[in-house]
Amino acid sequence: MADDSPDKWGPQIGIMREMGNWIDLGVIAVYLVGITAFGCSFYFRKGTNSARAFMVGTGRIPDWAVALSLLATFISSISFLALPAKAYLTNWNPYVLSLTVPVAVVVAALVFVPFYRRVGCVSAYACLEERFGTWARLYASGCFLLMQSARSGVILFLLAILISNVLGIGCVPIIVVTAFATMVYSMMGGITAVVWTDAIQAIILIAGALFCAVLLYCGLPGGFCAGIVDAWGAGKFSLGSLSVTDFGSETLLVTFLYGLCINLMTFGADQCFTQRYATAKDAKGALRSMVGGYLLYVPVTLLFVVIGTGLWLYLQKNPGVVPAEVAGRSDAVFPWYIVHRLPVGGSGLLIAAVIAAAMSTIATTLNSGSTVLLEDYFKRFSAARCGSEAHHLVFLRLANAAITLVSVGVALAGMKATSVLTVWWAMQGVLSGGLLGLFFLMFFARRTTSAQAAIATGLGTLTLVWIAFGQKVLPLSRPLHVNLGIVLATLVIFLSGYILGHIGRRKGGG
């Protein structure tokens, strides 16, 4: 049996003893009950109980709600906790990923959104089958299902670690309760419930981050300006090394290339996001929602790195206040500050914001994953693929529950891992790199055939596996950072597929 005691994961905090009140617990309880009830209420609204409405809505969701939903899906509890921890430990290098968003938005506005609105495919991966055949659809949808199920499990696991340290209870009940609450409203209300709850959760997480940043900087000894000067002098605002020859470290260039590829993959090949384009009222609404949601991400993630720098300043200005075992762990400092330094009700708000970030991402995964299972597998291969809307709706809800169970299983299995984040980042790179390269071939390499695309995808996958795992066996004189895996794999897939397409056409006399 796995040890799920809080002591395994860090300093015991114990909110009921340390915070000395029930107000924060009440804030968390009100949020959980309220958001679940609100999401479930869409089950009783007219027009929402059909398979199509479950997947793409009824066409009545306003653009601003879709934009906030995209933002909430983009920001998971991993971002909420990891970005401040990284900025506290190092500098603003992780914010470079956010700075690549405007570039990716331009590509999405010109290519991705018009394409998905034009073809009308509920599943993004159905388009791959039309271009390259069944194998491409199954490969891409399989990668998506594995990646998102694993991501939801990791989010649940990391959320449980935080709350167990704060509440002083075991991880298992937290994982089960959070997953079950998210599953219930996602299963009952479909994409409409997911979008509207995401919108509320986005507001909560923004309010929580703003609240924490203001209190953190207003409470600095010596004032805000003096703190900024100290942080600048210590290089805390640096975006990373400017080297263009060091590809083994998280330089500005390496992080920029990685962020650009990850964001392009997210906007153009991730069902969690492409499905949102179909929920808007029309093509212009989809474009406004996409641009608004993604550009909101830039200032919101700026708040997270600002908090991380503020935590570093707080420790510098208040030596000895934070226990040494906490100060020595970057991922423990923010939770400690939430519990010990925020006013009554403030800790509850911040914890609710972290839970909101987790639930919004998980709910989207459940809805999008069940959509992919219906469109790419059940309808594609089942003898009952021409069944009624009612049968399809039942399948969607059962698939929703099944993905929840898989995610919970991943979260529980993660409790036995020594470094679940390391495993997740490696897995994400291997799965997502092949997706982006294959979609690039679909969009930009018209001459590439199905067989040529398969060869190119195989070459790209081998490149990913070598960068993620194989450099220990076949090392280079100057090793490549694991974040470059998706960059190089995408290039290998696209260039090899493009070249093979042109060579084959020339040999065929085209």
Side-chain angles (χ1 to χ4, degrees), residues 247-248 463 466-467 470-481 484 488:
F247 295 106
T463 302
W466 174 72
I467 292 176
Q471 290 190 80
K472 295 180 180 179
V473 180
L474 298 171
L476 295 175
S477 57
R478 302 182 69 178
L480 300 174
H481 195 278
L484 287 176
L488 294 180

Side-chain angles (χ1 to χ4, degrees), residues 28-39 197:
I28 298 170
V30 167
Y31 162 74
L32 281 173
V33 174
I35 202 70
T36 303
F38 175 70
T197 53

Side-chain angles (χ1 to χ4, degrees), residues 10-51:
Q12 180 79 19
I13 299 175
I15 191 171
M16 295 179 65
R17 299 188 302 273
E18 302 288 351
M19 297 176 66
N21 64 80
W22 292 86
I23 296 178
D24 296 287
L25 289 174
V27 171
I28 298 170
V30 167
Y31 162 74
L32 281 173
V33 174
I35 202 70
T36 303
F38 175 70
C40 291
S41 70
F42 288 92
Y43 177 81
F44 304 99
R45 302 193 183 188
K46 185 178 180 180
T48 59
N49 285 305
S50 69

Side-chain angles (χ1 to χ4, degrees), residues 351-409:
I351 295 169
V354 176
I355 297 173
M359 293 180 74
S360 60
T361 305
I362 295 169
T364 297
T365 292
L366 296 180
N367 186 271
S368 299
S370 58
T371 297
V372 166
L373 285 172
L374 175 68
E375 294 291 322
D376 295 333
Y377 292 89
F378 185 77
K379 285 185 177 181
R380 183 69 178 75
F381 298 107
S382 172
R385 57 183 175 272
C386 297
S388 67
E389 279 278 300
H391 289 146
H392 291 166
L393 184 59
V394 170
F395 178 88
L396 285 167
R397 287 176 171 150
L398 291 175
N400 200 291
I403 296 171
T404 302
L405 292 176
V406 172
S407 299
V408 170

Side-chain angles (χ1 to χ4, degrees), residues 258-274:
Y258 170 76
L260 184 60
C261 286
I262 283 291
N263 287 325
L264 285 172
M265 189 277 296
T266 298
F267 300 170
D270 189 332
Q271 177 72 19
C272 290
F273 294 86
T274 61

